[in-house]
Amino acid sequence: MKTALMLAGCVLAATPVLAGDKPVLTVYAPEYFTSEWGPGPAIEKGFEADCGCDLRFVAGDVLPRLLLEGDKTEADVAIGLNTDVTARARATGLFAPHHQDLSRLTLPIAWTDDTFLPFDWSEVAFVYDKTKLATPPKSFAELLDAPEGAFKIAIEDPRSSTAGLALLLWVKHIYGDKAGAAWAKLSPKVLTVTQDWSEAYGLFTEGEADMVLSFTTSPAYHRIAENDDTKAAAIFPEGHYFYTELVAQLKTSDQPELAQKFLQYVLSDGFQGMIATANWSYPVIVKPGFLPEGFATLPRPATTFFYTEAEAEALRGPALEEWRANFGK
């Protein structure tokens, strides 16, 4: 399917208007985004109902592909980036201003970026199964100090997963220059380190792990889609790391007006109203009815923090070396 989409993208690059004289908007997105259980199909249907265009998703690793293609990219829009990689994305010079009104956003942090536009958010958390872990850790310190064998955790690799990278920065934010010691304490509790979130969460839902690195909003899926209230996020007083997904327009787009219309759509009631159950995250604009029952009542951390893209980029290398040196000892 990915190969077919790539070939389709090449045709689009040469022929921006297809049969029926509909303009094509090419959007690069992560694999999960375009799957039948991801938000892509609903977004495509909603946008095409109003744009008089053909929205084409190209699935894959968004930033690596853009770095490879440079200003020859066929993308009009990139969606699914996050704040921990935007420094590298911005350095390409490939992105255009979004021109959207940020005062409308209802985020737990201030957002002033005029290039990368958030469309959903959550906080990183350890999700556990109540039937397997009756007394989960009540703090990050308690998680680290728990005896070996108390529980088994699945986490994601920070070198290949944005969730894993968020954990790296979460640990760094809480423990600072003692982060290496924290990784050494966490290591015996970790069942496995997976390449991506889907693999880790699959181990959790299959019962092989008692806890999994995921998001504070993950239990909403089980409550609403499965009528299952046995999954919960462990909320820690030390605070939780903010995680948002972003969308941006490419400067090289041959459909700039249509790309801007898509960014407007991202902040529309239609898009934001479906994001809770389409992507199991908080919308960036909350209005009555946007958060369904079983979602609005999720427990929230008292403290939410994040690093700016410059801070995250500066910390990435040293924090990764700390992880390599101490995890698994």
Side-chain angles (χ1 to χ4, degrees):
M1 180 177 179
K2 183 177 178 182
T3 302
L5 286 169
M6 290 172 65
L7 291 172
C10 294
V11 173
L12 292 176
T15 313
V17 179
L18 297 185
D21 293 328
K22 283 187 176 182
V24 173
L25 186 74
T26 302
V27 179
Y28 283 11
E31 295 275 0
Y32 86 87
F33 201 90
T34 62
S35 67
E36 61 181 335
W37 58 85
I43 290 169
E44 182 178 0
K45 181 179 179 181
F47 185 60
E48 288 185 345
D50 182 56
C51 73
C53 69
D54 183 5
L55 191 159
R56 295 278 181 95
F57 283 116
V58 176
D61 293 330
V62 176
L63 183 56
R65 179 165 184 167
L66 289 172
L67 292 173
L68 180 66
E69 295 176 345
D71 59 9
K72 293 181 173 58
T73 183
E74 65 199 40
D76 299 300
V77 172
I79 197 166
L81 300 170
N82 82 315
T83 50
D84 299 329
V85 300
T86 48
R88 282 179 290 163
R90 197 186 307 274
T92 66
L94 290 172
F95 296 94
H98 56 63
H99 300 299
Q100 303 304 308
D101 180 9
L102 299 178
S103 67
R104 301 167 57 200
L105 304 183
T106 54
L107 298 173
I109 64 164
W111 191 267
T112 59
D113 195 324
D114 64 0
T115 300
F116 296 99
L117 184 68
F119 65 89
D120 68 5
W121 66 276
S122 190
E123 292 113 343
V124 181
F126 292 100
V127 174
Y128 66 96
D129 187 331
K130 298 176 186 177
T131 65
K132 300 185 69 174
L133 202 59
T135 55
K138 296 180 175 60
S139 67
F140 216 119
E142 193 172 307
L143 175 79
L144 297 183
D145 292 336
E148 188 172 349
F151 40 72
K152 296 178 293 184
I153 309 173
I155 67 171
E156 298 86 352
D157 193 321
R159 296 165 296 187
S160 59
S161 164
T162 55
L165 178 57
L167 174 60
L168 197 75
L169 296 172
W170 186 15
V171 170
K172 190 65 177 175
H173 198 287
I174 294 173
Y175 290 100
D177 59 7
K178 295 182 174 61
W183 283 115
K185 282 187 172 184
L186 181 63
S187 181
K189 287 90 173 175
V190 173
L191 171 69
T192 188
V193 179
T194 66
Q195 289 296 301
D196 56 35
W197 175 88
S198 297
E199 185 182 354
Y201 211 81
L203 291 172
F204 171 67
T205 56
E206 290 164 10
E208 294 187 41
D210 306 311
M211 303 180 77
V212 61
L213 177 68
S214 193
F215 303 96
T216 55
T217 49
S218 298
Y221 167 78
H222 301 284
R223 290 184 181 186
I224 297 170
E226 299 178 336
N227 196 29
D228 175 7
D229 196 34
T230 65
K231 312 299 188 295
I235 305 299
F236 295 159
E238 293 98 334
H240 288 249
Y241 192 72
F242 177 79
Y243 186 99
T244 184
E245 291 186 292
L246 309 166
V247 59
Q249 176 184 337
L250 276 296
K251 282 183 179 178
T252 52
S253 170
D254 60 4
Q255 298 289 342
E257 292 183 4
L258 195 55
Q260 280 292 307
K261 190 168 186 177
F262 183 78
L263 296 184
Q264 292 169 9
Y265 173 64
V266 165
L267 296 188
S268 71
D269 286 0
F271 186 107
Q272 291 296 309
M274 69 179 171
I275 206 68
T277 52
N279 211 31
W280 305 103
S281 302
Y282 291 112
V284 296
I285 298 173
V286 176
K287 292 184 178 181
F290 281 15
L291 295 177
E293 186 179 353
F295 202 108
T297 56
L298 291 173
R300 283 289 321 286
T303 303
T304 297
F305 49 76
F306 84 119
Y307 288 117
T308 66
E309 66 176 44
E311 291 169 333
E313 189 65 19
L315 284 170
R316 179 197 315 276
L320 187 57
E321 287 307 311
E322 271 180 335
W323 177 75
R324 285 172 171 157
N326 294 278
F327 188 82
K329 275 192 171 182

